[in-house]
Amino acid sequence: MGFLGKLLIACICVINVFAIKAADATDYFVFTKFPEPLTLTRQQVKQLYLGARLQVADIKLEPLVLPAGHRWRAVFNTRVVGLTESRINSYWAQMRFTGKRKPPLEVESIKQMFDLVESKSGILAVAPSDLVDKKLYQVVYQFTE
């Protein structure tokens, strides 16, 4: 087998690996209970989770995060915020020291997260798409693992 044959086989293997990864990818939703239609950009979601304030229709948007080490949190941080957990911790240490911003409320469990989203309009949370009922919640941003 010549060079071109080996190259073709290598390309096919790489394509198969990416196809398998894509098939295993999970969609995630940033969601809320909100009375008005609302869509956010990746940049807006990132800013909210890094302590920026955003108010829509007189309702302040408030993000929730799961505990450090939780898989959903890690995926969100790398895919949407663009930072590792250690970089985010450094960021929040600096923000606390300067008093400029407060970190998102950290919940202890998935149940607590859904309970808080249910209890107050404008609470934002992140979960895999198969756990978020679009009839009950409004998806404001979607991303893939």
Side-chain angles (χ1 to χ4, degrees), residues 77-139:
N77 286 342
T78 55
R79 286 298 206 187
V80 178
V81 179
L83 299 172
T84 63
E85 189 69 33
S86 62
R87 292 289 311 265
I88 289 174
N89 289 339
S90 297
Y91 171 82
W92 284 119
Q94 182 181 3
M95 290 299 111
R96 275 192 219 86
F97 180 75
T98 61
K100 290 183 179 179
R101 295 181 173 182
K102 293 190 314 188
L105 176 63
E106 186 173 304
V107 294
E108 296 176 12
S109 67
I110 297 164
K111 182 185 178 333
Q112 183 185 20
M113 177 184 73
F114 276 96
D115 288 347
L116 285 169
V117 171
E118 277 290 325
S119 71
K120 185 177 176 190
S121 185
I123 299 287
L124 297 175
V126 178
S129 60
D130 60 338
L131 295 181
V132 180
D133 185 345
K134 286 181 157 183
K135 294 175 187 165
L136 298 175
Y137 304 107
Q138 186 175 166
V139 175

Side-chain angles (χ1 to χ4, degrees), residues 13-59:
C13 290
V14 168
I15 290 169
N16 285 338
V17 167
F18 282 112
I20 290 168
K21 284 282 190 194
D24 291 342
T26 302
D27 287 333
Y28 286 83
F29 291 157
V30 177
F31 65 99
T32 187
K33 283 207 93 146
F34 201 75
E36 312 273 331
L38 176 65
T39 303
L40 300 174
T41 65
R42 177 182 174 268
Q43 189 63 28
Q44 287 172 315
V45 172
K46 177 181 176 177
Q47 289 172 343
L48 281 165
Y49 276 84
L50 290 177
R53 294 188 185 135
L54 181 60
Q55 193 162 319
V56 178
D58 296 328
I59 298 173

